[in-house]
Amino acid sequence: MELHSLTLHALRELIIKKEITAKDAAFAYTRRIGQVEPEVNAFLTLTPNKTIEMAERADKVISGQPEAGQPAPLLGVPLAIKDNMCTEGIKTTCASRMLENFIPPYESTATRKLMDAGYVLLGKTNMDEFAMGSSTENSAFGATKNPWDLSRIPGGSSGGSAAAVAADMCAAALGSDTGGSIRQPAACCGVVGLKPTYGRVSRYGLVAFASSLDQIGPITKDVEDCAIMMNVIGGHDPLDSTSADVALPDFTANLKDGIKGLRVGIPREYFPGYLNLPQDWKQALRLGERSYFVSPGIDKEVFAAIMEAVNALQSLGAEIKEISLPHTGHAVATYYILATSEASSNLARYDGVKYGYRAKEHEDLLDMYKRTRSEGFGPEVKRRIMLGTYALSSGYYEAYYKKAQQVRTLIKRDFDDAFKDVDIIITPTSPTPAFKLGEKTADPLQMYLSDIFTISVNLAGIPGLSLPCGMTGSNLPVGMQILGRHWGEETVLRAAYAYEQATDWHTRKPGM
């Protein structure tokens, strides 16, 4: 039995039953990291001493645990953390030269909750710099590679976390999602990723990109693991002014209740003419006759996988309905005005004065600011700061930022209206499978369009989950996105679990 290949819940059961120790699990993952990390580059910081210390602590707790007691939900389980969450005494770089040597003096709420649940830290994962990107190619410390095909991207910005989970270098990981940064890499790497409702998980200690959009969430090997992680990290936090004081349910309680009678929405903006699909739609798709029933930007194999998944949901008792999200076409433009504007404001603090990188040579204070920011930030971060500063500047604020906020309201209303008729919404997670490294770096607009199906979810603040639903002919994973109402993670997870149990896509592993 290879311990590193087990799901979180299977590994935890072995530890709790004392069939293995937490140190056994920690050593198994440490060995696995040693085998595949040089090829994948999923981690920025490994914490071997901390890993053993936390595993030994877990073993002491387990050895003194009464048989009838309830052990902590993650006791002894080795996890990884995206490197934009503060970890006290451990480097938090955001994959940027600007924070290359930054060691936080405090712990983020999400990682503190993991500690309270007994987890074992393996290390901090690679990402797009300051979470700005869709491919993890924007890291100042080298790109992460997709375990399914090392010539391809793992998605972004949480690409390190997704690749680590897919390559069995951790039992699960935390990521952050501002416009698809958990779900898109989960789809590219063939794992499960959940962006919770905005306000469900505390952002305290998460290095800010766009404060009204950022949300922490789990990346896991299966849906049950995702529910377990949400039970730990969710809940109100007085340290975060945007954290909602909403009751946290047990996300595992109704996971296995099935989906008979569940109303599933298919947006016509993504699948024009879905209800009028020809009986031989697979043959039509093979022949290239696609323009009348599928958006041009969706890869044919992605479309086919999503349609098969919808059919599977219907066979499980779900009711399929066509819905409309009429302002979908404005989501990308709206997002890249609002997100860059907030980034411009949030990243103004990195000026070389109090902490972080400072240019060594400069003539005066203004020159120090210029050189520090020019040398400390990478090209994509500078591009977004400039876009956001322009959108907020005098004479352009109302034309861009204010107008984008108004359109954001319309996008949210689209979802509110749709959820009057359906319980969940199905879309692709990404319009294409994982693309080649370097394929889109020269064309930022094409890169931004990689998040076309995920961006509107952050604008509306609703929960969204990606899970594997197929493989391409090139053996690359395809992800299906399930969206729910505000605070509707239970329904999303239940639908995902039902589909997962009826298929075997989540059991596929990259051949590393």
Side-chain angles (χ1 to χ4, degrees):
M1 176 178 58
E2 294 181 317
L3 296 181
H4 62 257
S5 67
L6 297 177
T7 59
L8 183 159
H9 61 271
L11 187 68
R12 178 184 179 273
E13 187 173 352
L14 291 177
I15 294 171
I16 297 306
K17 288 182 176 179
K18 302 180 183 178
E19 295 181 23
I20 64 168
T21 66
K23 280 184 73 173
D24 290 336
F27 283 137
Y29 277 104
T30 301
R31 283 193 297 270
R32 178 64 175 173
I33 289 170
Q35 291 168 353
V36 300
E37 168 60 11
E39 295 180 90
V40 178
N41 193 34
F43 286 89
L44 293 178
T45 300
L46 290 169
T47 57
N49 294 336
K50 188 75 172 176
T51 301
I52 297 305
E53 176 192 327
M54 295 175 82
E56 288 177 342
R57 190 182 309 144
D59 283 330
K60 285 180 182 177
V61 171
I62 293 166
S63 64
Q65 183 79 39
E67 293 300 323
Q70 289 295 320
L74 299 177
L75 193 57
V77 177
L79 306 178
I81 307 297
K82 186 177 179 179
D83 202 27
N84 61 347
M85 294 170 216
C86 288
T87 42
E88 185 177 358
I90 299 169
K91 277 207 302 185
T92 300
T93 71
C94 291
S96 177
R97 295 292 179 195
M98 188 63 80
L99 291 175
E100 186 172 3
N101 298 307
F102 174 61
I103 298 177
Y106 70 100
E107 195 80 21
S108 73
T109 294
T111 54
R112 173 68 65 190
K113 288 185 172 187
L114 294 182
M115 291 175 74
D116 293 342
Y119 94 119
V120 172
L121 175 65
L122 291 167
K124 307 292 289 293
T125 56
N126 202 1
M127 56 185 283
D128 285 298
E129 184 180 6
F130 282 99
M132 298 182 192
S134 305
S135 64
T136 317
E137 293 174 286
N138 295 325
S139 170
F141 308 109
T144 297
K145 300 172 181 68
N146 193 316
W148 290 90
D149 181 345
L150 296 172
S151 70
R152 295 179 183 269
I153 58 102
S157 62
S158 306
S161 289
V165 174
D168 287 331
M169 286 192 275
C170 57
L174 286 187
S176 68
D177 193 310
T178 307
S181 287
I182 287 173
R183 291 158 289 152
Q184 189 250 10
C188 289
C189 291
V191 292
V192 177
L194 172 66
K195 183 207 86 72
T197 304
Y198 183 80
R200 174 70 88 182
V201 178
S202 172
R203 294 187 304 109
Y204 179 75
L206 174 69
V207 179
F209 162 16
S211 302
S212 75
L213 301 164
D214 299 340
Q215 192 66 181
I216 293 171
I219 297 176
T220 60
K221 296 180 183 181
D222 69 6
V223 175
E224 184 174 351
D225 286 357
C226 194
I228 292 168
M229 289 285 285
M230 279 301 301
N231 281 350
V232 173
I233 64 173
H236 179 243
D237 178 19
L239 296 174
D240 174 12
S241 62
T242 62
S243 174
D245 193 2
V246 176
L248 186 73
D250 178 355
F251 292 108
T252 63
N254 302 314
L255 199 60
K256 303 175 183 180
D257 286 357
I259 58 169
K260 188 171 183 180
L262 196 73
R263 299 169 300 168
V264 177
I266 305 296
R268 69 171 63 101
E269 286 74 21
Y270 301 157
F271 303 113
Y274 164 75
L275 293 183
N276 298 314
L277 281 180
Q279 286 291 102
D280 58 347
W281 64 266
K282 292 182 183 178
Q283 175 69 8
L285 197 60
R286 281 194 291 271
L287 295 174
E289 300 169 14
R290 52 181 282 158
S291 60
Y292 60 94
F293 61 84
V294 58
S295 298
I298 304 179
D299 178 87
K300 289 194 294 185
E301 290 182 291
V302 171
F303 172 81
I306 298 298
M307 289 299 98
E308 293 283 13
V310 170
N311 290 343
L313 290 171
Q314 192 168 27
S315 70
L316 292 169
E319 178 186 347
I320 310 300
K321 291 187 172 187
E322 188 177 60
I323 61 165
S324 178
L325 301 171
H327 295 94
T328 291
H330 304 297
V332 173
T334 300
Y335 173 85
Y336 278 100
I337 291 171
L338 297 179
T340 58
S341 296
E342 294 186 27
S344 170
S345 177
N346 278 324
L347 272 62
R349 70 193 68 178
Y350 303 107
D351 56 10
V353 175
K354 290 185 177 179
Y355 63 95
Y357 177 80
R358 179 188 291 191
K360 290 183 173 61
E361 297 180 6
H362 47 82
E363 297 175 2
D364 52 29
L365 183 63
L366 183 60
D367 188 49
M368 189 272 284
Y369 288 156
K370 287 181 178 179
R371 288 176 183 267
T372 292
R373 292 171 68 78
S374 177
E375 296 168 15
F377 290 134
E380 182 61 27
V381 173
K382 286 188 274 195
R383 180 185 292 118
R384 296 197 191 194
I385 289 173
M386 288 189 287
L387 282 169
T389 303
Y390 181 82
L392 293 174
S393 62
S394 178
Y396 297 99
Y397 175 89
E398 294 214 355
Y400 292 103
Y401 184 77
K402 182 180 177 182
K403 183 64 68 177
Q405 288 285 29
Q406 292 170 331
V407 177
R408 179 181 188 171
T409 300
L410 296 177
I411 291 170
K412 180 184 177 297
R413 285 178 185 168
D414 286 350
F415 283 105
D416 291 343
D417 290 342
F419 283 121
K420 292 174 183 175
D421 297 320
V422 297
D423 301 303
I424 59 170
I425 295 171
I426 299 295
T427 79
T429 306
S430 176
T432 67
F435 47 86
K436 293 278 188 180
L437 287 159
E439 183 177 325
K440 299 186 180 183
T441 50
D443 189 345
L445 184 56
Q446 285 302 310
M447 186 73 80
Y448 296 166
L449 289 172
S450 299
D451 294 330
I452 192 167
F453 296 120
T454 54
I455 276 172
S456 56
V457 180
N458 297 76
L459 293 171
I462 60 175
L465 178 146
S466 178
L467 78 164
C469 72
M471 301 291 293
T472 69
S474 303
N475 199 39
L476 295 171
V478 176
M480 171 173 67
Q481 183 176 220
I482 304 178
L483 311 180
R485 298 182 180 89
H486 289 94
W487 320 114
E489 289 90 351
E490 281 183 286
T491 304
V492 169
L493 287 162
R494 179 161 55 89
Y497 184 83
Y499 173 78
E500 182 184 77
Q501 295 305 300
T503 60
D504 70 348
W505 302 116
H506 65 291
T507 66
R508 309 289 179 95
K509 297 274 190 180
M512 292 199 72

